[in-house]
Each structure stands twice: as structure tokens, then as C-alpha cells.
Amino acid sequence: MKKEYQQEIKNALAAAEKIDGINHVYFVACGGSMAFMQPAEYIFNRECDIPATILPAREFTTRNPHDLCNHSLVVSCSHSGSTPETNEAVNFAKSKGALTVGITYTAGSDLEKNSDFTLHYSWGKGTDASDLNNGVLYGFIFSLLKSITGDNKFEKGLKALDSLETMADRVRKQFGETAKKWTSELKREKLIYAVGSGINTGETYSFSACWLQEMQWIHSGYINSAEYFHGPFEVTDFDVPFIICKGLGVTRKMDQRVIDFAKKHSQKVYVIDDADFDMHEVDDDFKEYYSQILSGVAFRQLAEGFAYERGHSLDVRRYMGHLDY
Amino acid sequence: MKKEYQQEIKNALAAAEKIDGINHVYFVACGGSMAFMQPAEYIFNRECDIPATILPAREFTTRNPHDLCNHSLVVSCSHSGSTPETNEAVNFAKSKGALTVGITYTAGSDLEKNSDFTLHYSWGKGTDASDLNNGVLYGFIFSLLKSITGDNKFEKGLKALDSLETMADRVRKQFGETAKKWTSELKREKLIYAVGSGINTGETYSFSACWLQEMQWIHSGYINSAEYFHGPFEVTDFDVPFIICKGLGVTRKMDQRVIDFAKKHSQKVYVIDDADFDMHEVDDDFKEYYSQILSGVAFRQLAEGFAYERGHSLDVRRYMGHLDY
């Protein structure tokens, strides 16, 4: 990770450490910028006693959580830094006395101006994965968790950032042909469900809402693996496509149960299995947490495959950037 | 509300009051039984400093929240009381020392056996709304919030239960023809999106996952109003149907923004507006909280309308109850 990003993390961490007892960590943003932070909420719930909640920015602002105060830490993200709802949420949090940390690609953006501290990240092909939004977020939360819990194991989580690009690149090479094959087979589908759970919830939701709905105009819905058998599974039929993310670790069995059933009743079940991805550089304690970043690499390759097969660039929008709303 | 239900609430409340500082309230269940508790999580977030989180049962168990302990209160629900994941979650919570309160229709069920305290509810046509799952849940959480905060305003929330049946019945009569018309127009649709937010999140999710996907085999996805413009809205087109729940209170403007845009670009936008429902019996402080129960009445009428128009009974399942999975 770039030295200046490391320094920004240190600055934000020092401010968080000055809070006299963090009462709640909120992660608030919109769309893909919210979804990519879901693993941070998840890891917090698993690793420490401080409650952590993720909310769409305007759900956060309108909800006006009763416990939001000068003991709260509010982490937000906007790639452009100009998302109105996210900036509104940050200003709202500040008005309640919370410490605000904004994650953004865009230097000098509104989010940077409004946030107490900013974590910048890099973007685009050729960027080292540790400098992307995921890398910077993990750098911050593992540092924060180390500080909160005093547990040195989080050093291992931070260390893994050094290997993130190697792992991501390996997945790109490994999954490329698979992505081409799947998207060739699925390119005429009008609707594709995305299923995942646990640490993969955010990436799977993003695949549904951002890659499929937003960037390919393919109908989709996100289904949590824990919910599949409690309603949604009745739509399963021989011709209904599901892309299912099978996690490592604690949710693996639950994801597998969905796969077993869906494969029996649909001929169009496609499984991204995180166990297929070599993560030997990462300590066992952190493999599950890092696996979702690799799921995201695979999801992105599927999106690129769809774009190619359907002649529908990932940059095309019919509304965003063209209309006021 | 029936005297015995009131007594069960008192018993559970007394046990919750004996916890020496509740550190977290978890609401855990599956499908519709989870969704109907979402407003309880929402109201807790709005009204008190004790963190509250809602999770699908197996997401809860696999996540194994770090702060789950003998200071925690875990509220679950299963209509049959036999849902394996929910019972598993209750037993898991008990193994961590948490106080468990199970909400169920079924006396003598596993959920009753496994939970420290049980809140029973009634079901079926002719049941007074205050004796349904919603009524019992609100009876419990408003009593609990009164106890936690010491604020007598929650008496007004409890008082409103007496008028719930009157209000629900009014909506049934008022919305009946509308439901018939909408479902006649929409009956040949293969996919219908459901949009809502805030206090209506659970009911809107239920409409998508339980009424449409499970009971009508109509493809669907739930979209939060705060998320619509951050991905999903790009699928909007002249022939894409949306059923949107427009809330009272804090999320109303956000829901309206979705409606304004969707109506411009789709000819199939249907809006359930909670402001259309007469709630004069309820104190202003509690109208928003109660409105979601009335949204649920309207959603149910839509489900019944679809069942009639499509000759597809709400009782038909192809998998549940027929296969092991």
C-alpha cells in the first residue's frame, strides 16, 4: 500500500483512538460503495463487542439512530466523493458529534471536505489491489480492530494486504476462461439471480444491483443463502439462472445447501467457489475475510464477459449522468 | 389483545428487566417471520441506545456475534415453531447465556420448548389484529421500550393496539377494489419489483420474497428506496412493473423521489400510499410505526388478488412440504 495511504489510515486511527469509548461504528454509503463496506460490518460483528451497522446513506439519515453521538464512528464512501446522500449522511453524523471518516477516489471532493478524515484510494487497471478501495478499507479496519481489541492477530490481516495483488491477479488468470464460457451461455437471459451470504453478502449484492441491473440492464435480485429456502426458492425452475457465491468458512455449508437444491431443479446454476482460489499467502485466520475480495474479482470478470458478449459496455447508462433526478 | 397474550408479554418483559444492562437485542428468524420483525429493529434504533440487529437465523448463528452473551436478548419467530434454522439460532443464543423470547402460533412447538419465554399469537380470518403476530410483537417491544427508556409515550403505542383491528379492517374495505384492479392489470407479468424503505422494509421484502416469489412464482427483487438510484434504477423501462410502498414520516420524501422517477420511465408503477389510510385512532408519535401493518394488509390483498386472477392459490408450493432439502 502506498505510503500516503498508510499515513491517512494512521491519522484516522489516531482520531478514533481519541474517542472515549466508541459506542457504535456505522458504515453508510450508496450502492456499490455501500456494498463493498459490508464485509467491514461483518468482521466487526465477528471480532469485537462494539456494535457495527451498515445502512444505505439516506436510511441512516432518516432513521436518525438514537445512539449516534460524539462516541460514534461513521465511515462512509463515495468514489466521486460527490454522492449527495452520502455527503448529507456525513454532515448529519458530524452534527451529532460523530467522528467521520470518508473513503474516496477523488481528491478535493465534497466527501473529503465534509469528512473529518479522508482515506484515498487508487482505481483503474494496473492499480495494486492493496491501493484499491478494498485494500484501504481493510487496512483501516484491521488497524482499528487491533487497537480496540489489543489482539496482535490483526497484524496478520494487515500483512495479507501485501499479497492481495498477487492473489487477485491469480484469480484474473484462473477465472478468465470460465467467465467467458458462463457469460456466453447466459448472455440471452433476461433475469439472473445472485445468491451469497456472510462475508460475500456485499459483493453478491453488488453483482446483482450494480453489475447486472445498472451496467447490463439485466433483471436481478439478491438472495441471501440463509433466506433462499424461506420464500425465494419456489421460483427455482429448470430455466431459471442462479449465480451462487460459495464462501469459505462459516457460511460454506449454508451456501452448499442452496447449490445442492438449485442444481437439482435448475439447469442454469453457476457457482463461484472461493475454495478454488489459492490464498496460501494469507494466514488461516484471515482467509475467509479476504476471500470476498477474490469473489469480487470473479464477479467483475463476469461483468466484463457479459459486456463483451452482449455488446453492452459497462460504461453505458441511460439515466445516470444524463438526467436530473 | 387476549389476556393470556398480555400475561405472556409481562412474563417475558419481567425476565428482560432482570438482565443487568441489555447489551444488544437480536431479532432472528427466516423469511416472512424475519421480515415482520424488521420494524422492531427499526423502532429500537430510533428510540433507544441499545443496539438492535435483525439477521436471518443462520446468518446469526454462523456469524456468532462477538457481543452475544448473558446480557443479550434474542427475539425469534416461527409460525410453525418448527423451523430448524430458527430453533438452532435460539439454542445457540441460549448456549451463550442470552435470554430468548420465541414468538409462535403453535403451542407446544419446538420453538416454545427451546425458548426461555414464548409469546403466542392467533392466526386466520376473523382474528383481531392485536392478537396477530404484529400485534403481539408491538405489545412486547413497546412495553420493553417503556421499561428501558422510562418514557410514558410508549403507553400511546400500546394503546393503539386496541384500534388495530378497526384500522386493518378499514384498509381491507378501502383497498379491496384497488387490489383487484392492479392484479388484473399485472397478472401476466413475469417479474415485478417491490420498493420500500424505513419502517416498511420488512413488509416490502415479504411481498417480494413470500407473496410474489414463494406463493405466486413471480420473479421479483426487493429494492430499498435509498438504493434505487444507485444501481437498480437503470433497469427501469416502459414495461417494467414496480409496486412501491410510500411511507409516512421520515422516509416519505425518499420514497416519493423513486415514484416520481419511476412513473416518468415506466407505465407500470403502482403505489401503496400509507397516507391514504385513516389512522386517526393512533397518536401522531406512533402513526409511522403502525402504518407498516396497514401496508401489510394492502400487500396481502394484492397477493390474494394475484391468486384469484392467476388461478394460483396462495397455498400451492412445489418444493416446501413436498421435498426434503
Side-chain angles (χ1 to χ4, degrees):
Chain A
M1 190 188 294
K2 289 181 185 173
K3 284 247 153 56
E4 63 261 40
Y5 295 173
Q6 293 181 28
Q7 188 57 50
E8 288 183 338
I9 288 172
K10 274 184 196 159
N11 297 345
L13 179 65
E17 285 172 338
K18 278 188 198 138
I19 297 175
D20 184 18
I22 298 175
N23 76 328
H24 209 132
V25 182
Y26 285 98
F27 298 95
V28 295
C30 302
S33 290
M34 175 185 73
F36 107 96
M37 294 199 292
Q38 176 273 332
E41 179 231 26
Y42 183 82
I43 293 169
F44 252 81
N45 289 175
R46 294 267 300 265
E47 298 289 350
C48 82
D49 287 344
I50 297 173
T53 302
I54 187 160
L55 284 170
R58 207 158 265 172
E59 275 280 355
F60 170 76
T61 314
T62 54
R63 184 173 301 199
N64 182 9
H66 198 274
D67 71 352
L68 181 64
C69 67
N70 61 353
H71 290 270
S72 310
L73 170 62
V74 176
V75 183
S76 69
C77 178
S78 163
H79 187 74
S80 68
S82 64
T83 313
E85 297 96 319
T86 306
N87 279 292
E88 174 189 288
V90 169
N91 288 330
F92 176 73
K94 278 203 310 190
S95 77
K96 298 280 181 175
L99 177 70
T100 55
V101 175
I103 304 176
T104 184
Y105 168 70
T106 312
S109 62
D110 284 350
L111 189 64
E112 177 162 0
K113 285 174 196 151
N114 289 326
S115 301
D116 295 316
F117 290 85
T118 303
L119 308 179
H120 292 97
Y121 61 83
S122 304
W123 198 246
K125 292 219 169 179
T127 303
D128 186 277
S130 70
D131 293 323
L132 292 169
N133 54 358
N134 283 311
V136 168
L137 177 68
Y138 271 23
F140 179 57
I141 62 151
F142 288 141
S143 301
L144 183 56
L145 281 166
K146 187 188 162 200
S147 166
I148 289 168
T149 65
D151 191 336
N152 278 323
K153 79 170 176 180
F154 293 105
E155 283 292 347
K156 295 187 280 186
L158 291 166
K159 181 94 183 88
L161 285 169
D162 298 339
S163 311
L164 189 50
E165 178 57 28
T166 304
M167 294 190 291
D169 196 52
R170 214 152 47 203
V171 174
R172 272 177 223 122
K173 283 168 186 148
Q174 175 186 347
F175 195 72
E177 287 306 310
T178 305
K180 276 185 198 167
K181 183 170 182 296
W182 291 9
T183 51
S184 171
E185 290 171 14
L186 286 168
K187 66 183 162 190
R188 301 199 210 292
E189 298 297 338
K190 305 289 180 223
L191 172 140
I192 300 170
Y193 285 111
V195 187
S197 66
I199 195 82
N200 282 307
T201 299
E203 279 299 334
T204 314
Y205 170 84
S206 258
F207 180 66
S208 173
C210 301
W211 296 122
L212 292 181
Q213 289 182 309
E214 180 178 29
M215 301 193 196
Q216 288 297 299
W217 308 352
I218 294 174
H219 291 300
S220 185
Y222 162 70
I223 300 170
N224 186 293
S225 306
E227 282 288 279
Y228 174 74
F229 292 104
H230 300 281
F233 82 140
E234 288 281 344
V235 296
T236 309
D237 209 333
F238 73 94
D239 60 347
V240 178
F242 293 88
I243 295 180
I244 305 175
C245 189
K246 181 175 165 186
L248 293 174
V250 297
T251 58
R252 187 167 180 80
K253 202 171 140 191
M254 176 164 86
D255 296 330
Q256 183 64 53
R257 185 173 169 229
V258 175
I259 293 162
D260 290 344
F261 185 92
K263 281 199 167 173
K264 253 187 228 161
H265 302 281
S266 163
Q267 293 161 16
K268 297 178 181 174
V269 176
Y270 295 79
V271 178
I272 295 175
D273 184 350
D274 287 342
D276 289 342
F277 303 142
D278 178 1
M279 300 179 67
H280 73 268
E281 295 92 342
V282 182
D283 185 272
D284 281 350
D285 281 352
F286 290 86
K287 280 195 169 68
E288 183 177 351
Y289 295 160
Y290 271 90
S291 63
Q292 62 89 14
I293 301 181
L294 303 184
S295 310
V297 172
F299 276 131
R300 196 200 161 85
Q301 284 182 296
L302 289 176
E304 286 168 357
F306 277 122
Y308 173 79
E309 291 288 343
R310 303 173 77 242
H312 183 121
S313 161
L314 296 175
D315 297 326
V316 173
R317 302 287 184 281
R318 51 182 145 185
Y319 305 125
M320 199 180 81
H322 303 292
L323 297 179
D324 288 327
Y325 45 84
Chain B
M1 190 187 295
K2 289 182 185 173
K3 284 247 153 57
E4 63 260 40
Y5 295 173
Q6 293 180 28
Q7 188 56 50
E8 289 183 338
I9 288 172
K10 274 183 196 159
N11 297 344
L13 179 65
E17 284 172 338
K18 278 189 197 137
I19 297 175
D20 184 18
I22 298 175
N23 76 328
H24 209 133
V25 181
Y26 286 98
F27 298 95
V28 295
C30 301
S33 290
M34 175 184 72
F36 107 96
M37 294 198 293
Q38 176 273 332
E41 179 231 27
Y42 183 82
I43 293 169
F44 252 80
N45 290 175
R46 294 267 301 265
E47 298 289 350
C48 83
D49 287 344
I50 296 172
T53 302
I54 187 160
L55 284 170
R58 208 159 265 172
E59 275 280 355
F60 170 77
T61 314
T62 54
R63 184 174 300 199
N64 182 9
H66 198 274
D67 71 352
L68 181 64
C69 67
N70 61 353
H71 290 270
S72 310
L73 170 62
V74 176
V75 183
S76 69
C77 178
S78 163
H79 187 75
S80 68
S82 64
T83 313
E85 297 96 320
T86 306
N87 279 291
E88 174 189 288
V90 169
N91 287 330
F92 176 73
K94 278 203 311 191
S95 77
K96 298 280 181 175
L99 177 70
T100 55
V101 175
I103 304 176
T104 184
Y105 168 69
T106 313
S109 62
D110 284 350
L111 189 64
E112 176 162 1
K113 286 174 196 151
N114 289 326
S115 301
D116 295 316
F117 290 86
T118 303
L119 308 179
H120 292 97
Y121 61 83
S122 303
W123 199 246
K125 293 218 168 179
T127 303
D128 186 277
S130 70
D131 293 323
L132 292 169
N133 54 358
N134 283 310
V136 168
L137 177 68
Y138 271 23
F140 179 57
I141 63 152
F142 288 141
S143 301
L144 184 57
L145 281 166
K146 187 189 162 199
S147 166
I148 289 169
T149 65
D151 191 335
N152 277 324
K153 79 169 177 181
F154 293 105
E155 283 292 348
K156 296 188 279 187
L158 291 166
K159 181 93 183 89
L161 285 169
D162 298 339
S163 311
L164 189 50
E165 178 56 28
T166 304
M167 294 190 290
D169 196 51
R170 214 153 46 203
V171 174
R172 272 177 224 121
K173 283 168 187 148
Q174 175 186 347
F175 195 72
E177 287 306 310
T178 306
K180 276 185 197 166
K181 182 170 183 294
W182 291 9
T183 51
S184 170
E185 290 172 14
L186 286 168
K187 66 183 162 191
R188 302 199 210 291
E189 298 296 337
K190 305 290 180 222
L191 172 141
I192 300 170
Y193 285 111
V195 187
S197 66
I199 195 81
N200 282 307
T201 299
E203 279 299 333
T204 315
Y205 170 84
S206 259
F207 180 66
S208 173
C210 301
W211 297 122
L212 292 181
Q213 289 182 308
E214 181 178 30
M215 301 193 196
Q216 288 297 300
W217 308 352
I218 294 174
H219 291 301
S220 186
Y222 162 70
I223 300 170
N224 186 294
S225 306
E227 281 288 278
Y228 174 74
F229 292 104
H230 300 281
F233 82 140
E234 288 281 343
V235 296
T236 310
D237 209 333
F238 73 95
D239 60 348
V240 178
F242 292 88
I243 295 179
I244 305 175
C245 188
K246 181 174 164 186
L248 292 175
V250 297
T251 59
R252 187 166 180 81
K253 202 172 141 191
M254 176 164 87
D255 296 331
Q256 183 63 53
R257 185 174 170 229
V258 175
I259 293 162
D260 290 344
F261 185 92
K263 280 200 166 172
K264 252 186 228 161
H265 301 281
S266 164
Q267 293 161 15
K268 298 178 180 173
V269 177
Y270 295 78
V271 178
I272 296 175
D273 184 350
D274 287 342
D276 289 343
F277 303 142
D278 178 3
M279 300 179 67
H280 74 268
E281 295 91 342
V282 182
D283 185 272
D284 281 350
D285 282 352
F286 289 86
K287 280 195 169 69
E288 183 177 351
Y289 295 160
Y290 271 90
S291 64
Q292 62 89 13
I293 301 181
L294 303 184
S295 310
V297 172
F299 277 132
R300 195 199 162 86
Q301 284 182 298
L302 289 176
E304 286 169 357
F306 277 122
Y308 173 78
E309 291 288 343
R310 302 174 77 243
H312 183 121
S313 161
L314 296 175
D315 297 326
V316 173
R317 302 286 184 282
R318 51 182 145 186
Y319 305 125
M320 200 179 80
H322 303 292
L323 298 178
D324 289 328
Y325 45 85

